[in-house]
Amino acid sequence: MKDIFIRSILAGVCIALGGAIFIKLGGVVGACMFAFGLLAVVHFKLPLYTGTAGFIDLLKGGEYLKMIVILLGNIVGCILLSLMFDHQVIDGTQIIQNRLSTDFLHCFLNAIGCGLIMTIIVQGGRDKNLLLILFGIPLFILLGFYHSIADAFYMMVTSSELRNEYLPRYVIIVLGNFVGCNMPRLFKYKID
């Protein structure tokens, strides 16, 4: 588990880099540049919560512990990268405020949408179809879907008051991502 945790931290750093560039550039360009984070995760085969949740054996209890370790490692990676930035240059306040204006049900539904897209594009990455990543990442961002690991970074580059207020929604987003990541199983999508 130690190796998984350390590699999960690296995955969190990669996604946080994508989140930082999205905050800096915004719009379509920022959403496209965010794809760098997932391309790095897939290239180095790093454990990302939303890149792993749709591929676990749901009947094995140990898999859920592994997912918790991955999630925690990803969050630590986001925290570490957030320490590198001046929060006046990279500030997630607007994103978190937008999330706070969304009710819990819609946070959950938006997270499901992101999870579904993430499993499809990660499967594409595993199959060496990087176009799915290049189109899928901007797709979920521009549709306003919520990615739990990116949101961990956005929370870290905002005020502690907003962070504390957002935490209950964050838990809902983590759960929604898990549900969405596993939706392709319902469609008998090929999952390795």
Side-chain angles (χ1 to χ4, degrees):
M1 286 288 184
K2 181 181 176 184
D3 180 60
I4 290 172
F5 183 70
I6 292 169
R7 292 174 50 75
S8 297
I9 292 172
L10 296 174
V13 167
C14 290
I15 296 303
L17 282 169
I21 196 65
F22 176 67
I23 289 172
K24 191 75 174 155
L25 298 177
V28 174
V29 174
C32 291
M33 291 298 294
F34 188 109
F36 170 82
L38 190 63
L39 287 167
V41 166
V42 169
H43 176 75
F44 292 111
K45 298 179 178 156
L46 299 172
L48 178 67
Y49 176 75
T50 53
T52 306
F55 300 94
I56 65 169
D57 184 340
L58 295 173
L59 301 177
K60 288 187 179 174
E63 295 283 277
Y64 294 97
L65 175 60
K66 178 176 136 184
M67 290 307 306
I68 291 169
V69 169
I70 290 171
L71 177 62
L72 292 175
N74 291 166
I75 292 170
V76 168
C78 290
I79 292 169
L80 290 174
L81 194 74
S82 75
L83 297 173
M84 295 176 61
F85 293 109
D86 177 343
H87 293 204
Q88 293 180 354
V89 176
I90 301 294
D91 183 4
T93 300
Q94 187 62 49
I95 293 170
I96 296 301
Q97 284 177 333
N98 288 343
R99 304 279 201 265
L100 286 169
S101 70
T102 305
D103 61 63
F104 285 93
L105 174 62
H106 285 93
C107 283
F108 185 68
L109 294 174
N110 284 335
I112 289 173
C114 175
L116 173 64
I117 293 170
M118 285 297 295
T119 295
I120 292 169
I121 63 180
V122 168
Q123 180 65 54
R126 289 177 173 192
D127 294 340
K128 306 291 188 245
N129 183 350
L130 299 182
L131 284 177
L132 278 174
I133 295 173
L134 293 174
F135 286 104
I137 295 294
L139 175 68
F140 88 71
I141 292 172
L142 295 173
L143 287 174
F145 291 162
Y146 301 168
H147 187 274
S148 55
I149 308 309
D151 277 20
F153 175 72
Y154 302 144
M155 279 195 305
M156 294 298 105
V157 291
T158 192
S159 70
S160 59
E161 295 83 24
L162 280 179
R163 194 176 311 141
N164 292 336
E165 189 179 344
Y166 185 60
L167 201 53
R169 281 177 175 79
Y170 183 74
V171 172
I172 296 296
I173 289 165
V174 168
L175 296 172
N177 279 170
F178 187 83
V179 170
C181 285
N182 284 284
M183 283 184 70
R185 296 175 196 263
L186 299 174
F187 307 115
K188 301 199 184 301
Y189 181 78
K190 179 188 167 240
I191 298 177
D192 303 332

